[in-house]
Amino acid sequence: MKAGPNNLITDIAGLRVGNAEDAGPRSGVSVLLGARPFTAAVQVIGGAPGTRETDLLAPDKLVQEVDALVLSGGSAFGLGACDGVMAGLRAQGRGFAVGDQRVPIVPGAILFDLLNGGDKSWAETPYPGLGRAALEAATERFEIGSAGAGFGAMTGTFKGGLGSASAVLESGFTVGALVAVNALGSVTVGEGPHFWAAPWEIAGEFGGFGPAPQHDPSAMPEPMKRQGEATTIAIVATDAALTQAQAQRMATAAHDGMARAIVPSHTPLDGDLIFAAATGEKPLADPVRDPFQLGHAASCVLARAIARAIYEAKEQPGDLQPCWRSRYGTSKSPAH
């Protein structure tokens, strides 16, 4: 596989992403929007998830397609971002038809960024407005790093962020990932420059430092929130025509990528989950080989996107954690 032309989830035709942030509370929202409704599924493995409309994504439920997916900061308050997205979609005439009414189907998930140093003393939650703004900003080219749902994110070591990556397979399918990384665990080996996801890096997309020369496999993490971080939420997407059950299997496989890129992941204190989206533009040629390879590609792409989130994060006033870039620059050099 090779990276897509923009190395973003929007390399999948018909998908767009919008980001909106508020520097006051140090939080934000990201929205994945399709040109038309798309098949969606979810797999939740973390122990402390915050979600909306995820029960609807089971393969035996009535509605098989969604209008948008939302990733948000704000803990449970952030679920209100879906309200803003629904309002915007309804104004566009989009949604599941119920008689003469349209009901936009907008599942969402949140991460915990309430203790990241931002001002959370709002009189009214900002998330419905951020959700609407993110929807209206949806485009094929979007910012990663300190943007959208990753605007106020943190990790066990370095500042977190929003990441994305893509891959084009020899079969012709495209797979992409969008992720907000706010993990209790670390995306790098210790406090060094080496990303856990290094074996899956393509073309130096997160510095080209390669795998760490060594690490202590016997080290045990402590179950504590050092700065208030917790939860990685992601979307993996493809242009393949998948059933909801096949999409859920792709989301399940993609969790391998999260475990490769974040150590530890899926803890009782993280709400780690992955949505899957399938636009259905390209039919499967082989009902066994194609889903098999799509799952593998989704895990690889997500691992890369997670590393890119931390690699692209930028310094901001009031940061509680260092940025990877401020310590190690942007690429490997003899000095490192």
Side-chain angles (χ1 to χ4, degrees):
M1 70 183 82
K2 61 182 180 180
N6 296 316
N7 203 16
L8 297 171
I9 194 171
T10 47
D11 286 330
I12 297 168
L15 294 185
R16 293 177 288 156
V17 170
N19 291 326
E21 309 89 20
D22 189 333
R26 297 178 70 86
S27 192
V29 174
S30 297
V31 175
L32 179 75
L33 180 67
R36 55 182 174 271
F38 53 86
T39 300
V42 68
Q43 183 63 277
V44 182
I45 294 186
T51 61
R52 173 164 162 162
E53 295 275 39
T54 50
D55 284 352
L56 189 66
L57 301 181
D60 64 332
K61 299 301 184 288
L62 173 65
V63 177
Q64 298 287 298
E65 295 180 320
V66 307
D67 295 288
L69 294 169
V70 175
L71 306 179
S72 179
S75 189
F77 299 104
L79 294 175
C82 297
D83 291 336
V85 176
M86 286 187 69
L89 288 170
R90 188 171 188 267
Q92 297 173 18
R94 294 188 55 165
F96 184 71
V98 183
D100 62 353
Q101 296 296 311
R102 290 276 177 174
V103 182
I105 307 300
V106 184
I110 50 85
L111 54 80
F112 183 89
D113 59 3
L114 296 182
L115 302 178
N116 64 0
D119 180 7
K120 308 302 194 296
S121 60
W122 52 67
E124 294 185 8
T125 172
Y127 292 99
L130 286 170
R132 181 93 181 237
L135 174 70
E136 293 173 353
T139 182
E140 292 181 3
R141 298 293 297 268
F142 60 95
E143 186 178 355
I144 63 174
S146 300
F151 185 76
M154 298 186 290
T155 74
T157 49
F158 294 105
K159 186 176 179 180
L162 185 75
S164 191
S166 68
V168 180
L169 283 58
E170 290 185 355
S171 59
F173 296 116
T174 300
V175 177
L178 178 72
V179 59
V181 185
N182 189 62
L184 193 75
S186 297
V187 178
T188 59
V189 182
E191 295 187 2
H194 302 276
F195 290 95
W196 288 110
W200 291 273
E201 184 176 15
I202 294 177
E205 62 193 330
F206 40 88
F209 282 75
Q214 62 182 18
H215 75 278
D216 182 3
S218 67
M220 292 295 292
E222 293 296 328
M224 60 181 182
K225 297 183 181 182
R226 288 162 291 271
Q227 301 286 352
E229 73 285 351
T231 300
T232 297
I233 47 179
I235 304 167
V236 292
T238 181
D239 52 5
L242 300 181
T243 65
Q244 210 164 32
Q246 289 171 325
Q248 185 178 35
R249 178 49 48 184
M250 185 173 73
T252 300
H255 273 285
D256 289 349
M258 191 178 293
R260 293 168 184 169
I262 302 170
V263 178
S265 59
H266 306 127
T267 77
L269 303 178
D270 287 289
D272 296 343
L273 68 80
I274 300 174
F275 291 109
T279 64
E281 293 295 324
K282 298 179 180 179
L284 300 180
D286 187 316
V288 175
R289 181 176 183 269
D290 288 339
F292 176 90
Q293 292 193 338
L294 288 169
H296 172 71
S299 67
C300 296
V301 168
L302 181 57
R304 293 164 47 213
I306 288 169
R308 293 191 77 203
I310 278 62
Y311 177 73
E312 297 289 351
K314 297 176 177 62
E315 285 187 355
Q316 296 170 305
D319 281 347
L320 299 181
Q321 288 183 309
C323 285
W324 185 96
R325 279 177 178 250
S326 66
R327 183 168 293 180
Y328 296 111
T330 59
S331 62
K332 186 175 182 180
S333 71
H336 295 119

